[in-house]
Amino acid sequence: MSGAADRTRAHGLGGFEETLKDFWVSRPRRPARGRKIAGVAAGIGERYGIDPVIVRVAFVVATVFGGMGLALYVLGWLFFPGEDDQVSPVEALIGRGRSTMSKGFTIVLVIAFFPLVSLGFGSGWGWFNGGGIVALALLVTALYLLHRSRGHENRPVAHAEETMTYPMSTPGAAAGTDPLGAPPLAWDLPDPEPAYAPPPVAPVHEPRRPRSKVGAATFGAALLVAGAGAACASMGIAWFSAQHVIGLVLAVLGVGLVAGAFARGGRSLIWLAVPLSIAGAVLTSVPVSNYSGGFGDIDATPTTAAQVQPVYSHTAGDMRLDLTQLPPTAPVTTEVRAGAGQTTIIVPQTADVQYICQVDAGNVNCLGEQTDGVGRPAVTGRDLGTDGAGGLQVNVNVSQGAGEIEVRRG
């Protein structure tokens, strides 16, 4: 039998059932200091000797990929006792001990837990369908392996219930005589010899552990995945969009963070995972990949109807389309598709303009018709100009992912 197996059995972790029982008995306690919300991540980090920041990132990633992070955090809030509590809030709710959390707030958390779980297992939450199940399996497996490898370390001391002791007295003691009737001098025994005190032992300084290579290896693997995804996207494979490539890189970083929690390394990966998560969330909510044409600014001033392009499309950047130099003879129809940026279309003072303007997230001001926000309906209408009906006929259709749209007269 290996040494690791011997240590595992010595701490009562011989099997799956024994591990679960030992986890419940020695489950993390939520500290009063170092907490951000309820101390769940800080308690897990302190219990198993890992950086609480890694635990918080794991909860955030589990929330983004499936929505289970919030439900698991609330579950830890309900079943992990506070640092100075006898039992957890749920146990205190059923009368098994004392907890500093009020019973009313505990009931609120219990009620909130069920819709959070339904969000995690339902569709429409997170980047991938079924992500809640995957996130739940990964977090539970990581916690199980942490307890198997480090469950014997930093075991919390349970707070015992307060008890009171009372001195016992007998009539004989009050009278100064022995209750057994023996003469007082018969109980004079020699003083005990002093116990042997071993000599002080000098502290043993453990050698410094070599720096873990988990961070560098994970960073290299993430670069390879990002490069392979970009290459597949350039070859025209539709699945490898920016959102999916970022998701694959975050998955690699997540594996590295979990491995680093065991190997005591990889903390620097957090500074790469956080901005990538924000970028992925933005790209998911605003589908800029649906708008082709590249990046940069566009400034066009056509002088004939033939020079007006049927479609102006670009991914990101500012666009300025000046139609004031067109002759008032042939009608003009054009469409603008922009991912992100500011789009400005200038029409003549006397033109008859038919417009449709829509932005997924941002502001619209089309000839005085305005809207702003996220997911707002399109602004449509017709404006005959300063001279009423007659003049250049202009039809514009502007759709944009994020930014600002303006149609005005010049």
Side-chain angles (χ1 to χ4, degrees):
M1 185 177 296
S2 63
D6 292 339
R7 288 193 299 270
T8 299
R9 291 186 178 277
H11 295 288
L13 304 180
F16 180 77
E17 184 178 354
E18 289 79 5
T19 303
L20 293 183
K21 291 181 179 178
D22 187 75
F23 170 78
W24 177 256
V25 172
S26 62
R27 62 192 185 276
R29 287 182 170 268
R30 297 178 289 108
R33 295 183 178 181
R35 61 170 60 182
K36 299 299 182 182
I37 300 177
V40 176
I44 295 175
E46 181 179 337
R47 173 68 176 87
Y48 298 109
I50 60 177
D51 196 327
V53 177
I54 297 178
V55 184
R56 296 186 182 106
V57 170
F59 277 118
V60 173
V61 172
T63 301
V64 175
F65 289 92
M68 284 301 299
L70 291 175
L72 292 176
Y73 192 91
V74 172
L75 195 66
W77 197 346
L78 289 171
F79 285 96
F80 290 172
E83 187 176 40
D84 299 323
D85 295 344
Q86 294 176 351
V87 294
S88 65
V90 169
E91 292 172 299
L93 188 63
I94 58 179
R96 291 191 174 182
R98 176 184 55 83
S99 174
T100 54
M101 184 185 298
S102 65
K103 293 184 178 180
F105 188 68
T106 302
I107 294 175
V108 171
L109 287 180
V110 172
I111 296 174
F113 172 75
F114 294 100
L116 290 176
V117 171
S118 64
L119 284 176
F121 285 104
S123 60
W125 177 271
W127 289 357
F128 302 106
N129 291 332
I133 300 176
V134 175
L136 176 63
L138 289 177
L139 287 181
V140 171
T141 301
L143 189 60
Y144 175 80
L145 294 177
L146 276 175
H147 193 79
R148 291 283 297 182
S149 61
R150 303 182 183 181
H152 58 284
E153 302 176 1
N154 304 323
R155 295 180 71 87
V157 179
H159 290 265
E161 296 185 3
E162 299 179 357
T163 58
M164 299 184 63
T165 58
Y166 300 91
M168 298 180 63
S169 60
T170 59
T177 59
D178 193 295
L180 299 180
L185 296 180
W187 292 96
D188 292 339
L189 301 177
D191 295 334
E193 296 182 359
Y196 170 74
V201 180
V204 178
H205 298 281
E206 297 184 359
R208 186 176 182 181
R209 299 183 60 178
R211 186 175 181 180
S212 175
K213 298 181 179 180
V214 172
T218 305
F219 181 74
L223 287 180
L224 291 176
V225 170
C232 292
S234 64
M235 294 171 59
I237 302 177
W239 188 87
F240 287 92
S241 62
Q243 298 96 313
H244 287 164
V245 173
I246 290 178
L248 293 175
V249 173
L250 284 175
V252 174
L253 295 178
V255 173
L257 287 171
V258 173
F262 293 96
R264 301 180 187 273
R267 180 179 179 180
S268 58
L269 298 174
I270 297 172
W271 304 109
L272 180 59
V274 171
L276 281 179
S277 300
I278 297 174
V282 171
L283 290 177
T284 302
S285 59
V286 180
V288 296
S289 60
N290 295 339
Y291 305 97
S292 59
F295 298 83
D297 297 338
I298 298 176
D299 192 347
T301 306
T303 57
T304 64
Q307 293 178 356
V308 179
Q309 299 181 16
V311 177
Y312 292 90
S313 179
H314 64 143
T315 304
D318 295 340
M319 179 177 178
R320 182 178 181 273
L321 179 59
D322 189 352
L323 303 179
T324 59
Q325 304 301 318
L326 294 175
T329 54
V332 174
T333 300
T334 186
E335 181 179 359
V336 177
R337 302 172 186 169
Q342 181 174 357
T343 300
T344 303
I345 300 177
I346 307 173
V347 297
Q349 290 285 347
T350 59
D352 296 346
V353 182
Q354 186 82 25
Y355 57 86
I356 301 176
C357 303
Q358 183 173 17
V359 63
D360 294 331
N363 303 324
V364 173
N365 185 356
C366 288
L367 297 176
E369 297 291 335
Q370 299 181 6
T371 183
D372 63 87
V374 178
R376 303 292 296 174
V379 174
T380 61
R382 186 182 182 189
D383 191 289
L384 301 179
T386 57
D387 62 343
L392 178 64
Q393 302 290 320
V394 177
N395 298 313
V396 292
N397 187 348
V398 187
S399 60
Q400 188 162 312
E404 184 177 351
I405 300 174
E406 181 183 12
V407 178
R408 59 181 175 86
R409 297 188 182 273

